[in-house]
Amino acid sequence: MSASTRRRAAGAVLAAAARCLLVLLCAVPPLAAQTVSGALTSATTVSGGVAAPGQSVQLGADEELSLRGSARLGVLRFSALISTSVSAGLGATARWASYSGAQTLRWSWPAWSAGAGGSAGAPAPELFAALEVKELAASVSGELAGLGIRAELGKFPLKWGVGKAFRPSDIFGGMDYSGLLPQAGGTPAARLSAFPSALSRVEAAAAVDGLGAIAAGARYLASIGDSGAFAASAGWRRASDAAEELSGSIEGQLDIGIFSPYAEISARHSASADYAYAMLGSGAAVGTFTFHAEAQAAVGLSSSDLRVFSLATWAPSELTSLSLPILWINDARTASGGILAQLQGIAGGRLDLSASATLLFAAMPPASVWSLRAAWSRSLSTY
Amino acid sequence: MKRRMWKAKSIIVALLLVGAFAASAPGAQTANAPAALALLEAVDSAQQYSSISYTGAMEITQGSRVLKKEYRASARGSDHVLLEFTNPEDLGVRMLRLGPSIWMYFPSEGDTIRISGSLMRQGLMGSNLSYEEVAEGESLRSTYSAEILREEKLDGRPCAVLKLSSSKTDISYPTRLLWVDTDRKVPLKIELYARSGLLMKTIFVRDLQPVSGRLLPTTIEIVDALRKNSKTLFSMRNIKLDLTLPDSLFTMQALTR
């Protein structure tokens, strides 16, 4: 048996085993908890396009099975989101490109590795199988001296900031721009929250990523009357190269007619530099059209690190939408844009369809890659 | 101990009680305005309760497509509402309304989002009920004047057709027509009009059930008049009225639990 065949066989076995695990988890009788809920969903994507400049057109497919569940036992709550995927061709290339060393609780075949000589610059495999624990957390809620409190531990989404694409206030993790729309994932963290009023929250949190970077900070979030919200935060972060940085941030959003402007400013101090990041954005809606635009820039660095993101959406009905996201990163001289059509509520509401076209353009040197994707997701079972 | 009484609004009942809010409207000046106000007062009294909890379902239809969602709802007074969606696609998504402020929580992203003014006209979770309509509260009490236009039968029931009008410029629907069942004191149909006079939405009460001595609309349908075959059917079950719902249920802590 050749090495290639052995690798394919091992990947197929890993994928099959992971899928069996998720299906078996669905069959486990609900715990003796007050509230148990779970959902198994499947998402399939077929794609075609050019993965790198100069390459020929490639086809691909990706299939992901996700199990989300939660259970409540008195003041305790447990939550989990586990997914397994198998991808080939352009689908494998897309997943390979979305991986980073900062991600955690994720296993794949072939194994993805960070660092020098790692997988980041290596060509993507033809076949890629992965298992990821996207969320696995426990929390306890209660009252202390009349104050609502909550403690959380595990891997869970931890996001600060109000931006859709840029969140300079967020010291815990970067956004993933490999997809058509920016996304943020879960991170191993601990968080203690207090709720001094109905619409305010004070939290202290600490997190670590897969590269060993550690971040800790505190944040206060509150509403401003009926027409806005603001937050202030302070944090400390030690990167994987042991460089330390302190930050202080404020963020806010307001309603002004059809516009909803929002902004973040984050001042940073390290041994080598004092600088700041500012983000300004706004949402607007007219009829069936909504529009978001935001820009982020640095002050005090050798580069302004200017980034611009816009998202225009036309929703002719509540279940149909057409979106056009555009992302420009000035330092890299790259722009990516696309068009995304989504249809929800097919087959009795259990099936969603989407189709997208993506173009990534680099100005220096001029090059472009593109892809077309069609995807459908469906709910398989729930309890 | 004096019991605090609020007028609760479930998401379903919210739109149907709009007429009742006009009961104390100062602008009612037509000849039959007193009769209109008396009828609305009767509707108001028939559906008065301090709080409500129920299991709800939405069936959103857009053309040939149908999307089904389920949720648990708790509401106290006219401006405290907490929804938690339980269907698999939206498991754990929650909505908190405190006064005119609406906050959403999306567990997959760990994000607490305030629904900004620019998004208020979008449908709640894809339904034909907008966030703006969800956020409307008892401020409507002083918004509309009322008059009885005529009496007619609707689905065999004797109804008074009431017209609610407002000259305010910052409201969703300056004119509303209500078909109120004069025997049972419940609205059976509501038409919502834009300032131009264009019919925007029609709300039909599809089912009424006795709950704790009151006759409540438990299934309603919101039909978009501007889009062909665009409608949402809301239904309620396991309805409990006048529960003790603590302040802690309507907080950011409950929203993000």
Side-chain angles (χ1 to χ4, degrees):
Chain A
M1 183 185 289
S2 69
S4 171
T5 306
R6 281 199 301 274
R7 283 199 300 270
R8 286 168 193 262
V13 168
L14 173 65
R19 267 136 214 282
C20 287
L21 173 68
L22 293 192
V23 172
L24 284 172
L25 281 172
C26 278
V28 171
L31 303 169
Q34 291 172 334
T35 309
V36 176
S37 54
L40 184 65
T41 56
S42 167
T44 306
T45 305
V46 292
S47 54
V50 175
Q55 287 188 357
S56 57
V57 173
Q58 190 182 10
L59 299 178
D62 184 282
E63 222 273 324
E64 182 174 24
L65 200 59
S66 300
L67 176 65
R68 171 177 287 282
S70 68
R72 192 182 305 281
L73 282 162
V75 296
L76 289 172
R77 182 179 183 274
F78 303 93
S79 61
L81 174 58
I82 304 168
S83 81
T84 173
S85 64
V86 180
S87 47
L90 196 63
T93 303
R95 281 209 181 262
W96 189 257
S98 71
Y99 273 38
S100 81
Q103 294 164 341
T104 55
L105 296 180
R106 182 209 57 195
W107 301 270
S108 68
W109 183 91
W112 194 98
S113 61
S119 304
E126 286 182 23
L127 184 67
F128 193 55
L131 173 67
E132 183 174 2
V133 178
K134 294 184 174 178
E135 183 177 338
L136 187 63
S139 67
V140 56
S141 298
E143 264 192 29
L144 192 65
L147 185 67
I149 57 168
R150 180 184 303 135
E152 297 161 271
L153 183 65
K155 182 179 179 182
F156 56 90
L158 176 58
K159 292 199 296 189
W160 288 359
V162 291
K164 278 188 171 294
F166 313 122
R167 297 187 172 209
S169 302
D170 195 342
I171 59 172
F172 298 110
M175 302 286 277
D176 174 11
Y177 300 109
S178 63
L180 200 50
L181 297 172
Q183 286 184 319
T187 186
R191 175 164 63 181
L192 181 63
S193 303
F195 301 87
S197 68
L199 288 179
S200 66
R201 177 178 192 161
V202 182
E203 59 184 297
V208 60
D209 70 18
L211 294 172
I214 302 171
R219 180 179 186 238
Y220 175 66
L221 166 70
S223 64
I224 307 172
D226 296 328
S227 59
F230 88 100
S233 59
W236 166 86
R237 180 177 174 86
R238 191 181 72 189
S240 51
D241 60 2
E244 294 187 11
E245 189 172 79
L246 294 172
S247 65
S249 308
I250 54 171
E251 53 191 275
Q253 60 176 131
L254 275 177
D255 290 341
I256 304 173
I258 64 166
F259 296 99
S260 300
Y262 50 89
E264 296 180 35
I265 297 174
S266 180
R268 316 278 179 89
H269 167 76
S270 67
S272 57
D274 288 308
Y275 63 102
Y277 270 101
M279 184 278 291
L280 180 65
S282 180
V286 179
T288 55
F289 291 89
T290 57
F291 187 72
H292 279 89
E294 59 189 60
Q296 174 181 282
V299 178
L301 290 176
S302 56
S303 159
S304 66
D305 194 15
L306 177 65
R307 297 170 183 225
V308 179
F309 174 76
S310 70
L311 175 65
T313 302
W314 174 52
S317 84
E318 302 295 353
L319 303 184
T320 306
S321 66
L322 195 65
S323 302
L324 288 92
I326 297 173
L327 174 68
W328 164 255
I329 300 177
N330 190 56
D331 281 11
R333 294 288 194 272
T334 60
S336 61
I339 184 166
L340 172 66
Q342 291 180 297
L343 301 173
Q344 291 179 281
I346 298 165
R350 293 291 187 229
L351 179 66
D352 296 339
L353 293 180
S354 68
S356 63
T358 309
L359 176 68
L360 173 64
F361 177 75
M364 296 292 285
S368 65
V369 298
W370 59 270
S371 65
L372 301 172
R373 286 188 174 81
W376 54 98
S377 63
R378 55 212 176 272
S379 298
L380 300 178
S381 67
T382 184
Y383 65 86
Chain B
M1 188 175 75
K2 186 178 179 182
R3 186 180 173 194
R4 293 176 69 188
M5 283 299 292
W6 294 279
K7 184 172 171 54
K9 290 204 314 177
S10 67
I11 291 300
I12 287 183
V13 181
L15 288 163
L16 299 173
L17 293 180
V18 164
F21 292 140
S24 59
Q29 294 169 346
T30 57
N32 61 27
L37 294 179
L39 182 57
L40 291 170
E41 193 69 60
V43 171
D44 198 19
S45 300
Q47 301 194 8
Q48 187 106 18
Y49 46 85
S50 63
S51 61
I52 184 171
S53 77
Y54 64 92
T55 303
M58 293 182 197
E59 190 175 292
I60 305 162
T61 301
Q62 301 285 349
S64 60
R65 284 176 282 148
V66 178
L67 194 61
K68 294 177 180 172
K69 296 178 184 290
E70 294 180 350
Y71 59 94
R72 287 189 290 266
S74 301
R76 194 189 73 187
S78 62
D79 55 5
H80 287 59
V81 180
L82 182 72
L83 301 186
E84 178 174 358
F85 286 84
T86 55
N87 57 296
E89 298 83 3
D90 306 302
L91 195 64
V93 172
R94 297 188 195 93
M95 185 210 81
L96 171 66
R97 183 196 147 211
L98 280 181
S101 294
I102 296 180
W103 291 70
M104 298 290 297
Y105 174 69
F106 298 94
S108 59
E109 298 172 23
D111 233 357
T112 310
I113 296 172
R114 186 184 148 273
I115 300 296
S116 59
S118 62
L119 299 179
M120 289 293 272
R121 294 205 169 177
Q122 292 194 346
L124 167 68
M125 300 295 285
S127 73
N128 292 85
L129 181 67
S130 71
Y131 290 107
E132 191 172 50
E133 289 157 352
V134 172
E136 285 177 335
E138 280 194 287
S139 59
L140 291 169
R141 185 185 293 276
S142 58
T143 302
Y144 291 92
S145 61
E147 61 176 313
I148 296 176
L149 292 183
R150 59 186 180 275
E151 295 197 351
E152 64 183 33
K153 287 203 169 183
L154 179 67
D155 297 333
R157 302 293 310 177
C159 289
V161 183
L162 276 70
K163 182 181 182 182
L164 308 184
S165 307
S166 175
S167 58
K168 290 195 172 182
T169 57
D170 58 347
I171 58 175
S172 308
Y173 306 109
T175 303
R176 304 173 189 239
L177 293 187
L178 278 76
W179 279 254
V180 177
D181 186 324
T182 48
D183 289 344
R184 299 184 294 183
K185 311 297 187 224
V186 289
L188 298 181
K189 178 183 171 185
I190 300 175
E191 290 182 346
L192 305 173
Y193 292 85
R195 188 161 305 282
S196 63
L198 190 67
L199 176 63
M200 305 294 285
K201 292 179 183 177
T202 304
I203 303 166
F204 298 95
V205 173
R206 297 302 187 195
D207 192 23
L208 291 157
Q209 294 286 335
V211 181
S212 302
R214 304 163 179 89
L215 194 60
L216 291 186
T218 52
T219 304
I220 71 163
E221 189 172 51
I222 302 177
V223 179
D224 191 326
L226 304 181
R227 293 173 182 160
K228 190 178 178 184
N229 201 17
S230 172
K231 60 188 179 183
T232 301
L233 189 72
F234 289 88
S235 58
M236 305 160 72
R237 63 181 195 278
N238 303 327
I239 304 169
K240 294 173 184 164
L241 300 180
D242 298 325
L243 310 96
T244 301
L245 297 178
D247 288 343
S248 60
L249 189 62
F250 306 103
T251 62
M252 194 174 284
Q253 184 177 18
L255 179 72
T256 59
R257 67 186 175 183

